[in-house]
Amino acid sequence: MNDVQGGAATVERRTVEPRWLDPQQQRDWRATITGMTYLMRAISSDLESESGFSMAEYELLVRLSESLEEGVRMAELAEKIAHSRSRVTHTIARLERRGIVERIPASDDRRGVIARITAEGMRRLTEAAPSHVESVRARLVDVVSPEELHQLGEAMRTALAAAGLEVPEPNPVLPPE
């Protein structure tokens, strides 16, 4: 029931019994959270030790490499990788200081900023990609069946869609990962 007081709507709160997870759901949830944490930590560690890039930096570079010369608006970049705008801004600033990306004003909007990968950034990404894809293969792709990998991808796309997020189809410049 909505009640308007002083121009602000309030919602009457009711106590609702939690819908607890059954044993199988709890087992699957715990495997999911532990598995995602392990995979991200292990793949990130491999990437950082091989290339010096964090996972966030690498993912931004991949997205920028797919846009080629045009670059990507900072706000759109944050949306594409489901990171906060401030996190993307800080990561881009770090990469910019290293000469790997550049920021330029948007030609059609004085407030907009475009991030673009530099030639050095593309060179470094191209160097990092082979060992990164081997890590992804060794830790996930070659460990599960093709059907399990597809089911995992479908489950994540469904969860992202429910949150209003979309995973765009890859537009790789580098050889397919």
Side-chain angles (χ1 to χ4, degrees):
M1 165 190 271
N2 285 339
D3 183 24
V4 178
Q5 295 176 347
T10 59
V11 177
E12 182 182 312
R13 303 230 185 247
R14 293 180 283 166
T15 304
V16 178
E17 183 65 28
R19 297 183 318 128
W20 299 110
L21 302 180
D22 68 32
Q24 184 62 47
Q25 290 168 329
Q26 193 169 88
R27 180 175 174 254
D28 290 341
W29 167 243
R30 287 181 181 186
T32 299
I33 194 81
T34 303
M36 287 188 310
T37 301
Y38 160 76
L39 283 171
M40 292 309 295
R41 185 181 65 233
I43 291 169
S44 294
S45 177
D46 292 346
L47 180 63
E48 200 141 356
S49 69
E50 288 289 325
S51 70
F53 289 130
S54 70
M55 194 66 162
E57 291 170 338
Y58 185 85
E59 186 60 24
L60 284 172
L61 291 174
V62 167
R63 299 304 173 105
L64 293 176
S65 77
E66 293 174 345
S67 70
L68 295 174
E69 295 296 320
E70 304 87 52
V72 180
R73 284 180 171 275
M74 295 284 287
E76 182 183 337
L77 195 54
E79 190 175 298
K80 281 183 174 183
I81 63 170
H83 286 229
S84 70
R85 288 183 183 192
S86 68
R87 182 173 180 191
V88 169
T89 299
H90 290 296
T91 304
I92 290 292
R94 248 189 345 266
L95 292 170
E96 189 175 35
R97 285 191 297 273
R98 292 162 52 191
I100 293 170
V101 300
E102 61 185 356
R103 286 186 279 190
I104 57 173
S107 60
D108 62 337
D109 176 6
R110 292 168 45 135
R111 295 180 305 150
V113 176
I114 304 287
R116 185 167 55 194
I117 192 168
T118 63
E120 174 64 9
M122 195 63 177
R123 182 188 72 71
R124 296 274 313 277
L125 178 62
T126 302
E127 285 177 358
S131 63
H132 176 62
V133 76
E134 281 307 313
S135 174
V136 171
R137 283 191 159 286
R139 297 189 182 278
L140 179 65
V141 174
D142 294 343
V143 174
V144 301
S145 72
E147 295 79 21
E148 289 169 324
L149 183 62
H150 179 70
Q151 289 171 344
L152 178 60
E154 282 297 310
M156 291 297 106
R157 282 186 287 279
T158 300
L160 289 168
L165 300 170
E166 179 184 321
V167 179
E169 289 297 317
N171 182 21
V173 174
L174 300 175
E177 286 194 44

